Each structure stands twice: as structure tokens, then as C-alpha cells.
Amino acid sequence: MKIKYYFTLFVLTCILFSFTNKSLAQKLNKEETIQLMLDTATTLRQSFTGFVLYNPKKDKVLIENYPDKYFTPASNTKLYTYFTASRILKDSLPVLGYKFQQDSLIFWGTGYPLLLNKEFDDSTVINFLSNHQGKLFYYDRPTTDERFGPGWGWSDYQWYYSSEKSKFPIYGNHINFRLKGSFDSLLVEPQNFKNNIILKYENAPDEYWPLYRAEHQNEFHYYPKADTFQTGYEIKMPFMYSKTLFLEMLEDVLHKKIKEYDKIPVKEGKILRTGNTDTLYRKMLQESDNFLAEQIMMMCSSEISDSLGVDIGIKWAVENLMQELPDKPIWRDGSGLSRYNMFTPRTTVKLLTKLQKNPGTTQLFKLLPNGGKSGTIENWYGGKEKPYVFAKTGTLSNNHCLSGYVVTRRKKTLIFSFMLNHYIVNTSETKKVMQQILEYIYEHY
């Protein structure tokens, strides 16, 4: 009988709590209602939640929840990368540096990531070098960068999202593997790595992944017993970059010998440029491509320094472009893979406000993921006649952020930054709460 009594009491308490919440919500204004949603969301109770909603037209902060606290932004960092690139690179990309010396062409890298990259249709480098009839020399420009950024996961070396940074990337610094049927049908692009695959007949380290790269060399182990061998397999995998490998692959394409050049003052040279900026920025923002983000910051550094380095670009941007931000960004890489990055919600909103003025919201909405339609929020924030959320996601384990713009039913454009850190539930559960709040904002503002 006691069990039945306590169960009945529990049900009545839940009904009363639900009724009280509904009655309370009816008496609250919009801002108080959203605060209640933040405070009572079960999935957020053991996490840290930062949220700012801002009306740029009235220059008014509508809602603040820990606006000045520092959070791990994950790929929200790419908003800072895009902001920096839009100010330094503007509407052109530095492809390579070069200098003619008698009948020789000396060239060097700028971090440009599109050379022979299968994700883009770009032949700028190949055409330029192929058209030179004399000798080719490559100058290995100094860099302050390691192959990985500070605070990156050391064990992620073989996954596409952790491709190595470099002064002069080639093939996007990764390999495309495609298998349909037997091992003999395995396609490898570029083919330079075809002979680097070693068959392993024991069980794979993970039964769902038949291909693994050795950590410190370009040796790839293939396990035919893995389950995906039966259904087909396709993966992008980073290769270990080196100057020697870069020159070998470039020579294979150009059918020309390339010698090395000891030293040349970079400032004496010229810069070959292309205007293919929006295509690059859109892929970086919509697909949250880490490799492109790092190389974009590398290109920014090439415009302001003789040496290349993501850290050079970041330091210059913080000191020269971000003085108006309310809290100084703790910014360590271009992509957001680093857990050393820390931004506050109000600083990200301020950055988005500056972006809204230049290049403007129309252009930004074409580059950012569109809710229910494109990019990393294609399956979220939809269900309306038109997309109403235009925002950048950021996800690391136990951390998810979303920052951007929400266009309400009444055609108001509001700026927001949602930063959730250290939750212990599935990320989709936190997204549901965020979606409920953004839908409420869409309907009521």
C-alpha cells in the first residue's frame, strides 16, 4: 500500500509542478520565459550554459546568462577565423609568392590550401608553374607552426578532421580511399600512396574501420576482415606531410624537376592571387572544415609576416582587429580543435555584430549553415517556410556551441551566442533545448 501511496503522491506532484510552470510561464514576459526555459531544462542542470540574445537595431541586450564567463567554443572559433580573413585577405587569396631570376622561377608557399585539392576546381598553381619555360626552384619559407595545433588530440592523427597544417598543402594534405567489393578494386587518390598499403589478415583494431595509418609514417594497414569490406568503404585520411613528399608529388604532376633554393627575401617577391574567396569560406563555415580554417589563418600570416604561422595571424588579429571586444579572446588555433581556446558569449555576439556590418547579413547568410537546409544544421532548426537560423556550430566531446543570427517571424534579425560546456548527456539532447528556445524567439520577437 505504501508503494501505491507514494506513487500517487509523485504523480500528483508532477501534475502540480507542470500546472504551476504553465501558469507561471503565462505571467512572465518573453525574456523571463526564456530564462525559465534555461533554468528548468533537465539536460542542462549539470552543465554550464552561456547565452546572449542581442537586438542590433536597438543596440539592446535582451537576455544574458553568464555572458562574461569563458567557455570552450570548439568550431565557433571559425567565426573568428572568418572575421580575420575578411579583414586581412578581403576579396583575394594569396596563392604563392614568386620571383623571376634570369630564366629561373623561384616560388614559395603562403598556406594556400587548394593545390590539387579534389574538393575544389582550382588549377591556379599548376597553370602558373607549367607555363614557365625555365628552371623551377622552391624556397622553403620559415614557419612557426608544428604539424598540429596546440591542444589538439594527439591520437586524432589519422582522421580527416585533423589533417596536418603546412606551408604549401597539396591534395588537401589527405588521401581519398574508395573500396567497392574486393581489395583489388581499392582506389587511391593520389596514386603516390598505392604501394604504401599493407594487408593485415588479423582482426582490425576496430571491426568497423578496415584502414589505419601508422602514426609517424605514411604506411597504411588494411584489414579485409572488417565488416565494411562487404558493403563498400570510403574515407579521407591525412598523410604525413614533408617537404620532400610535397616536391615529389608536384614534380609528378608538372613533369618537371624542382630544385630547392636556400634563401630569398620574401618581401622582394610578388604574390600570385585568386579571387576564389567565397567558395573557400563557405566550405570552411558550412562543413566546419578544420584543415581549411587552419590554412586560412596561415594565409593571413603570409600577408603580415615573412614567416608563416597560425599563431602569427592570431596575435596580429587580436591586437589590431579585436580591441573593441568586451573580453579578450583566448585564441590558440584557427579551427577550434584546441581545448585551449576560450571565448565569452558576449564577445562572440560583438564579433557577429561587427560582421553584420561588413560584409553584411545577406552575404553572411549565404556562407553560414542555414537551419533545416544546409551545413552542420541541415537537420536542425527547420520546419518553417524559410530558414530562420543562420549560425556556426561548434562541437567537441561534452561541449556544444551555436552562434549566429535568428530571423524572427516579424522579420527582426537578432544576434545570439549559445555556449554549452561540460554536459554529460548526448549532444542531441542539448540541441533539442537550444532548438526549443530559438523556436520560441522566432515566434515571439
Side-chain angles (χ1 to χ4, degrees):
M1 293 296 293
K2 283 186 177 181
I3 294 175
K4 185 175 181 181
Y5 168 77
Y6 284 121
F7 178 75
T8 304
L9 183 63
F10 172 75
V11 171
L12 288 173
T13 302
C14 290
I15 293 172
L16 179 62
F17 178 77
S18 175
F19 177 77
T20 303
N21 263 0
K22 288 179 181 177
S23 300
L24 179 61
Q26 290 172 356
K27 297 178 182 180
L28 300 178
N29 64 29
K30 292 178 288 189
E31 288 75 28
E32 291 170 334
T33 299
I34 293 172
Q35 189 63 55
L36 180 66
M37 294 169 76
L38 287 169
D39 292 341
T40 59
T42 305
T43 56
L44 304 184
R45 284 182 181 172
Q46 287 184 285
S47 65
F48 299 94
T49 304
F51 182 63
V52 172
L53 182 67
Y54 172 71
N55 186 332
K57 193 169 184 179
K58 294 185 177 181
D59 188 23
K60 181 181 179 182
V61 175
L62 303 175
I63 302 166
E64 290 183 311
N65 194 74
Y66 299 116
D68 60 342
K69 302 302 182 186
Y70 280 91
F71 290 82
T72 300
S75 283
N76 269 202
T77 303
K78 293 182 176 73
L79 292 169
Y80 291 74
T81 294
Y82 171 66
F83 175 81
T84 301
S86 68
R87 300 309 191 265
I88 295 178
L89 304 179
K90 298 180 179 177
D91 58 354
S92 71
L93 304 175
V95 177
L96 55 77
Y98 69 96
K99 182 179 180 180
F100 290 108
Q101 195 161 289
Q102 297 178 350
D103 68 336
S104 299
L105 171 59
I106 307 164
F107 68 99
W108 53 89
T110 60
Y112 185 69
L114 306 190
L115 169 60
L116 298 172
N117 191 328
K118 299 296 183 182
E119 305 293 327
F120 299 87
D121 182 17
D122 185 271
S123 56
T124 311
V125 174
I126 298 302
N127 289 343
F128 181 73
L129 298 180
S130 296
N131 290 335
H132 179 66
Q133 300 302 312
K135 297 177 181 178
L136 291 176
F137 288 87
Y138 174 67
Y139 168 53
D140 195 30
R141 189 174 182 177
T143 181
T144 59
D145 270 3
E146 302 291 338
R147 62 185 179 125
F148 293 147
W152 287 17
W154 67 269
S155 60
D156 293 340
Y157 65 89
Q158 66 176 340
W159 306 118
Y160 172 75
Y161 62 79
S162 193
S163 295
E164 296 184 13
K165 300 180 289 179
S166 64
K167 293 173 273 190
F168 212 140
I170 186 168
Y171 295 104
N173 287 359
H174 70 267
I175 309 166
N176 293 311
F177 292 98
R178 283 182 295 163
L179 176 71
K180 294 182 179 179
S182 67
F183 176 74
D184 293 336
S185 71
L186 182 65
L187 298 177
V188 182
E189 295 179 316
Q191 293 186 354
N192 305 66
F193 298 96
K194 182 72 174 179
N195 296 326
N196 294 43
I197 302 171
I198 299 173
L199 277 170
K200 296 281 187 176
Y201 290 100
E202 59 267 33
N203 291 327
D206 185 322
E207 61 179 342
Y208 298 105
W209 299 101
L211 194 64
Y212 290 83
R213 199 197 88 192
E215 183 174 355
H216 298 295
Q217 57 186 318
N218 287 316
E219 182 179 285
F220 302 87
H221 298 167
Y222 184 78
Y223 296 83
K225 291 183 180 180
D227 284 355
T228 48
F229 177 73
Q230 303 297 327
T231 58
Y233 183 73
E234 186 169 353
I235 191 172
K236 299 174 183 177
M237 185 171 287
F239 58 76
M240 191 166 186
Y241 186 95
S242 69
K243 176 183 63 178
T244 301
L245 179 61
F246 162 70
L247 291 176
E248 285 178 359
M249 290 194 288
L250 187 55
E251 285 176 342
D252 285 347
V253 175
L254 294 174
H255 305 294
K256 290 184 177 183
K257 185 67 179 176
I258 304 173
K259 296 183 179 180
E260 293 186 50
Y261 202 87
D262 290 338
K263 189 174 183 180
I264 188 169
V266 171
K267 290 180 180 179
E268 291 183 5
K270 297 180 180 180
I271 302 294
L272 177 67
R273 297 184 182 276
T274 182
N276 197 18
T277 54
D278 282 1
T279 302
L280 178 64
Y281 297 151
R282 186 180 299 108
K283 186 171 178 61
M284 186 264 288
L285 291 170
Q286 291 209 3
E287 298 184 21
S288 203
D289 192 296
N290 297 321
F291 168 72
L292 295 180
E294 298 298 336
Q295 297 302 141
I296 286 171
M297 285 307 303
M298 189 89 77
M299 285 190 288
C300 289
S301 75
S302 76
E303 299 286 86
I304 58 179
S305 173
D306 285 351
S307 297
L308 293 176
V310 171
D311 59 326
I312 295 173
I314 288 174
K315 185 174 185 294
W316 192 93
V318 171
E319 292 176 355
N320 295 277
L321 301 176
M322 301 182 180
Q323 310 95 318
E324 299 176 20
L325 300 183
D327 308 296
K328 184 177 180 180
I330 310 301
W331 186 13
R332 299 299 301 276
D333 71 359
S335 61
L337 277 174
S338 176
R339 289 184 179 266
Y340 298 158
N341 294 319
M342 290 194 299
F343 305 145
T344 67
R346 69 182 183 183
T347 290
T348 300
V349 163
K350 181 66 174 180
L351 186 93
L352 288 163
T353 305
K354 293 167 74 68
L355 276 173
Q356 189 186 28
K357 297 174 183 177
N358 181 18
T361 46
T362 301
Q363 177 69 4
L364 272 171
F365 289 179
K366 293 178 182 178
L367 301 178
L368 287 168
N370 289 200
K373 183 179 179 181
S374 64
T376 52
I377 56 174
E378 181 180 4
N379 298 319
W380 292 90
Y381 315 105
K384 312 299 178 186
E385 291 181 6
K386 295 180 180 179
Y388 69 97
V389 174
F390 305 85
K392 182 72 198 76
T393 55
T395 307
L396 292 169
S397 56
N398 310 107
N399 296 275
H400 181 71
C401 301
L402 183 73
S403 299
Y405 309 87
V406 54
V407 180
T408 71
R409 184 182 291 280
R410 296 172 179 82
K411 308 300 181 185
K412 294 180 181 179
T413 299
L414 306 178
I415 303 174
F416 72 93
S417 181
F418 226 137
M419 293 188 162
L420 275 60
N421 278 192
H422 306 302
Y423 53 78
I424 56 174
V425 297
N426 190 286
T427 297
S428 63
E429 295 302 311
T430 66
K431 290 180 182 179
K432 289 176 184 177
V433 176
M434 296 164 74
Q435 182 165 275
Q436 289 169 359
I437 291 174
L438 290 173
E439 282 184 351
Y440 180 88
I441 291 169
Y442 168 80
E443 295 289 350
H444 292 85
Y445 282 86

